[in-house]
Amino acid sequence: MASASTTGSIVALLAALLAIYTGFEGWADRIDNSLEGQQNGEDVLRLIAQGDEFLSQKDFAQAAKTYIDVLKTHAFQHQEVVIYNLGLAFASLGHHRNALSSFQQAADMIVDVRMDPQRRKLKSEALVMAGESASRIGWWERAVRAFQEATGHTHASPTLWFNLGSSLINLHQSLQIKREKAGQHTEDTNDDGNTIAAPLSSSSSSSPSSSSSSLMDRAVESLKNAYSLSPQNDKFAAYYGTTLITSGREEEGNRVLERWMEKELRNDDGATATVVDHDDDDSNDDDDGDKDDGGYGHAASKGEGGLKASNQQKGTQVGSDGENRALHMYVGFRLGDVQPRIAARHLEVAARMELAARDSGRASVQLSSIFYRLGRAYRAMGDLDAEKECYKSAVSQGVWTSTEQRPGYLFPGRALPSSPFPHINRTLKNDPKFHDVWRLVSMLEDSSEEIEEEFRRFYSSRHPSLHEDNENIADHGSWRQLIFARNGRLLPQMWRGAGKDGSGDKSERMNSVLANDAENRGGNDDDDNHDEKAPALIEDFPITRQILMFMRKDLSSHLPKGSMEFSILASSSHLRPHCGPSNHRLRLHLPIILPRKPVARIRAGKLTLEWEKGKVLVLDDSYDHEVWNESQEDRVVLLLDIWHPHLSPEDREQVRSHFDFATSSWRTSHSPWGRT
């Protein structure tokens, strides 16, 4: 069954659809005529009428049962109408796969629509509903196919073009995820879970083109059609402008977004833009908010206050429109890495709106994410003063308690005992809930020589292709990783492939059990006796593998944003100050290779430490931290993430739900529930 929130949105959708349904009343006469002379004709009509009555009364389960009964037991013409109504009942119950099948079957049954406006209308509506059902379950190829076909059977509305364009975006993103899972691309943005992508749909030879450029070009054209037909629609403007920019058409996208922002400011009836306090130094002309380059600056003001909730004149709070709040977040999140100046402008507006919503008593769950991303955007712009003021403003507004600990996701409800370096904190050392952490620390330290030998042997003989720093955290030198797991998932190229016999075979069951992935939570984590063939690459790390297998049973089990990797910081390198995405994890560093002089060191909060040979350093990376290696040698540590020990199994599920929800909500934020 659907969740309460999903059911609510479906009921709202059905209310709109019932109005459309009344347009098909003429079909009752057609079905009646087709049954003329049949002995059971009256029974069929009576059952259909009962199903329609249940549907109008929102007794969706009984409506579905009645429609199924009549379809099973009677033959009559124009069954597509009953099948369409069955799809409405299934959709309202949250049974979207059944709804998709029903709508698609109804559409397929209507072949020749040239001479019959009612049949054309029904086919179009069935295709639209098939597309919406497919999008709800992340089957983007099916959604694209249905929406695309619908545009050929009706005068396409702006919403239909938007649905097609947004589904194409999700299909594009889902194919990127497929390549990541296949090991072709393994970047993992170190964010708070609010990334934008989509669940993967099944592929087929008849599927829409999988070319990234082709899909995005089609998405741009579809969103352009929606925007052209309804230029005042904020959602169409936000998506069209953002997609233009991410497709390389920055000047056009900037103009679209700027027009939207100007309209919003006019509608705000004089409210000022969100501001971030700056120093009184006006000498930096490059960051004064000029739009000469087609982009957005950030608004600057002098005095106290930082980023604040703003109210409209006439007493109406800015940010009461939750959809616009989400749209500014969408633009800011998507453009943070490609156009940080534009992203910052929209994140400032989103922060103001979210603060206003919070101050008016409405729940606000995104503030830490917004400020986290806003600070990153300022840093990417090179405006470090604005970044600092952003963090100060977040603390003054009660988003964080310290400018030193500022993750994108802060576990809600209660504070988790924390310290930048828990292993030297006396209270945490004696905390019973940290017992398993110190047990793992001892295991790592006891195995440090063997793990170092494994790494040196592998690294010197295989010269593997290492993953580069994809967040540009290294402002000097380079930072690379040899990754076993990223974002809670074991990398296929490390755990799959050749067995011990070098045959290139692999144990699918092994891989299924090992995959520390929310998609495989049903696997038997304790059943490792089937390991007759070790996976590729990891077989060169037998001791390391044992540690990882021990960790995945509990300490790192299905850990969002969890990594297992060798972290290699090259000589003369520096990792700029930054915070991790969340406080739900702790990070362990086992030194593998340490420079002799000058020594490598790490700062977290106000404390700076040096790694010690054979000793594990425990870091809470939700604190601001940076790393130096000023020697002429590489620094290598085995980096392992674990759950914060004060999170219960129920708490862990809450964290997973947050990241799953954020993934599904932002990754399917293109989903076309609404109708205009």
Side-chain angles (χ1 to χ4, degrees):
M1 294 292 290
S3 66
S5 60
T6 303
T7 302
S9 63
I10 296 171
V11 169
L13 175 62
L14 181 71
L17 290 172
L18 286 176
I20 297 169
Y21 165 75
T22 60
F24 300 130
E25 288 178 347
W27 288 99
D29 294 334
R30 298 191 183 198
I31 295 174
D32 192 2
N33 293 335
S34 73
L35 293 169
E36 188 174 355
Q38 292 189 26
Q39 187 172 3
N40 60 355
E42 292 185 2
D43 293 338
V44 174
L45 290 175
R46 179 177 52 79
L47 285 172
I48 293 175
Q50 285 181 354
D52 294 346
E53 181 66 19
F54 287 132
L55 193 64
S56 66
Q57 294 177 355
K58 300 182 181 180
D59 189 348
F60 306 123
Q62 195 61 42
K65 181 180 183 301
T66 303
Y67 290 137
I68 291 171
D69 287 344
V70 73
L71 290 167
K72 278 184 175 180
T73 57
H74 301 86
F76 53 93
Q77 293 182 357
H78 305 302
Q79 292 186 359
E80 61 269 22
V81 182
V82 176
I83 295 172
Y84 176 88
N85 290 348
L86 176 61
L88 292 179
F90 278 139
S92 303
L93 291 168
H95 299 167
H96 300 299
R97 294 191 184 193
N98 291 336
L100 171 59
S101 297
S102 299
F103 291 131
Q104 192 64 59
Q105 184 178 354
D108 291 344
M109 292 175 71
I110 304 173
V111 179
D112 188 358
V113 298
R114 290 172 296 179
M115 304 301 294
D116 193 328
Q118 279 196 311
R119 288 175 65 81
R120 184 164 59 249
K121 182 179 181 182
L122 179 60
K123 186 177 184 75
S124 174
E125 285 298 329
L127 288 168
V128 168
M129 292 304 300
E132 294 190 2
S133 297
S135 67
R136 286 185 178 274
I137 53 179
W139 290 6
W140 298 110
E141 291 178 13
R142 295 281 294 274
V144 166
R145 191 178 298 118
F147 288 136
Q148 183 71 66
E149 188 178 352
T151 63
H153 291 288
T154 185
H155 178 68
S157 67
T159 300
L160 178 54
W161 283 119
F162 175 80
N163 291 348
L164 175 58
S166 54
S167 296
L168 283 161
I169 293 172
N170 273 305
L171 177 58
H172 164 74
Q173 305 247 1
S174 74
L175 292 172
Q176 287 185 321
I177 293 175
K178 182 178 181 180
R179 285 191 288 270
E180 289 178 17
K181 289 185 176 181
Q184 298 176 21
H185 180 68
T186 54
E187 287 186 357
D188 175 50
T189 54
N190 187 16
D191 56 42
D192 49 20
N194 291 318
T195 54
I196 302 170
L200 183 62
S201 60
S202 57
S203 300
S204 68
S205 59
S206 61
S207 65
S209 169
S210 61
S211 165
S212 293
S213 59
S214 172
L215 290 173
M216 292 307 293
D217 288 345
R218 291 171 60 193
V220 167
E221 288 305 307
S222 297
L223 294 173
K224 178 182 179 180
N225 290 338
Y227 178 68
S228 299
L229 291 169
S230 184
Q232 297 304 311
N233 186 296
D234 293 337
K235 178 181 284 189
F236 299 167
Y239 278 67
Y240 179 46
T242 302
T243 305
L244 281 170
I245 292 172
T246 56
S247 300
R249 296 161 64 174
E250 295 179 3
E251 187 174 346
E252 293 177 73
N254 290 346
R255 286 199 297 267
V256 172
L257 293 178
E258 186 168 345
R259 283 195 293 269
W260 171 43
M261 290 286 285
E262 289 173 351
K263 178 176 75 73
E264 269 214 328
L265 289 176
R266 289 196 302 271
N267 291 342
D268 279 355
D269 204 16
T272 58
T274 304
V275 295
V276 172
D277 248 359
H278 295 271
D279 295 333
D280 288 346
D281 181 7
D282 281 333
S283 61
N284 187 354
D285 294 332
D286 293 333
D287 289 322
D288 61 0
D290 289 342
K291 303 185 184 71
D292 293 341
D293 59 357
Y296 289 114
H298 52 272
S301 101
K302 298 180 176 64
E304 297 181 355
L307 199 61
K308 290 184 176 180
S310 299
N311 290 337
Q312 289 183 348
Q313 295 175 0
K314 301 183 181 180
T316 303
Q317 283 194 322
V318 174
S320 60
D321 186 344
E323 181 178 6
N324 271 8
R325 201 159 68 238
L327 289 176
H328 284 293
M329 290 172 60
Y330 169 79
V331 176
F333 285 18
R334 278 201 75 188
L335 298 183
D337 293 330
V338 294
Q339 280 281 1
R341 187 179 297 276
I342 300 175
R345 178 67 181 274
H346 287 272
L347 289 169
E348 288 173 350
V349 175
R352 177 193 61 184
M353 289 178 158
E354 199 75 8
L355 286 167
R358 184 198 64 180
D359 293 346
S360 64
R362 285 166 287 170
S364 177
V365 297
Q366 300 288 358
L367 274 171
S368 60
S369 297
I370 295 170
F371 278 95
Y372 177 80
R373 301 281 189 128
L374 181 57
R376 288 178 57 177
Y378 286 143
R379 184 197 311 157
M381 292 162 52
D383 194 340
L384 301 184
D385 290 336
E387 180 186 7
K388 291 178 182 177
E389 290 300 324
C390 171
Y391 299 148
K392 290 180 182 178
S393 180
V395 172
S396 69
Q397 297 286 345
V399 179
W400 298 314
T401 59
S402 167
T403 58
E404 294 180 1
Q405 188 182 26
R406 49 178 198 275
Y409 173 73
L410 200 62
F411 183 76
R414 69 178 190 276
L416 300 178
S418 63
S419 168
F421 296 110
H423 68 293
I424 60 172
N425 182 286
R426 181 175 300 178
T427 300
L428 299 182
K429 286 286 288 185
N430 296 319
D431 188 330
K433 292 188 177 181
F434 273 73
H435 171 78
D436 286 341
V437 176
W438 310 134
R439 178 186 174 200
L440 175 61
V441 166
S442 296
M443 182 184 300
L444 287 166
E445 292 178 347
D446 290 344
S447 305
S448 61
E449 293 183 1
E450 292 91 337
I451 294 173
E452 178 183 348
E453 183 180 346
E454 290 175 356
F455 176 82
R456 289 183 180 276
R457 183 172 59 245
F458 176 84
Y459 191 55
S460 63
S461 63
R462 302 289 285 273
H463 299 288
S465 176
L466 300 175
H467 300 275
E468 298 291 338
D469 167 27
N470 65 321
E471 293 182 86
N472 298 317
I473 293 177
D475 54 5
H476 298 294
S478 69
W479 177 37
R480 299 170 295 165
Q481 303 91 27
L482 178 62
I483 303 172
F484 297 105
R486 179 63 66 85
N487 196 24
R489 294 174 173 84
L490 301 186
L491 263 63
Q493 62 266 43
M494 291 297 291
W495 294 82
R496 298 177 182 171
K500 290 180 180 178
D501 58 1
S503 64
D505 192 11
K506 62 184 179 182
S507 168
E508 290 297 339
R509 183 156 187 253
M510 173 74 171
N511 295 322
S512 176
V513 172
L514 285 180
N516 188 6
D517 187 330
E519 296 173 358
N520 293 317
R521 290 180 194 169
N524 181 0
D525 281 355
D526 296 321
D527 183 7
D528 295 324
N529 296 325
H530 58 277
D531 185 14
E532 297 176 359
K533 294 182 179 179
L537 300 184
I538 191 63
E539 66 187 12
D540 291 328
F541 298 88
I543 303 300
T544 305
R545 177 181 176 277
Q546 288 180 18
I547 301 288
L548 303 187
M549 296 290 283
F550 168 77
M551 292 175 61
R552 73 177 182 83
K553 292 180 183 295
D554 178 51
L555 292 174
S556 301
S557 176
H558 314 305
L559 173 61
K561 299 298 167 191
S563 293
M564 297 175 173
E565 61 193 48
F566 285 105
S567 171
I568 305 163
L569 187 64
S571 61
S572 303
S573 294
H574 174 245
L575 301 186
R576 70 176 80 236
H578 63 287
C579 285
S582 173
N583 70 334
H584 75 272
R585 72 182 188 192
L586 296 178
R587 177 158 283 184
L588 278 59
H589 287 185
L590 174 66
I592 302 300
I593 298 175
L594 291 178
R596 285 163 289 189
K597 288 186 179 180
V599 296
R601 64 192 193 280
I602 179 172
R603 177 195 60 80
K606 295 182 172 64
L607 187 61
T608 300
L609 298 181
E610 301 170 357
W611 286 275
E612 298 181 46
K613 188 74 170 178
K615 297 294 183 182
V616 170
L617 180 149
V618 183
L619 168 70
D620 184 339
D621 75 332
S622 65
Y623 285 85
D624 182 85
H625 59 284
E626 62 183 316
V627 181
W628 297 265
N629 179 14
E630 296 167 334
S631 74
Q632 298 305 306
E633 306 171 71
D634 289 347
R635 182 238 58 181
V636 181
V637 300
L638 177 61
L639 182 155
L640 303 171
D641 289 333
I642 61 173
W643 284 102
H644 192 290
H646 273 256
L647 292 173
S648 68
E650 293 76 19
D651 294 333
R652 292 184 182 186
E653 281 305 312
Q654 182 177 345
V655 174
R656 292 181 186 121
S657 295
H658 167 82
F659 282 93
D660 287 346
F661 171 78
T663 298
S664 62
S665 64
W666 279 99
R667 289 184 175 180
T668 62
S669 60
H670 315 288
S671 298
W673 313 157
R675 304 172 69 89
T676 61

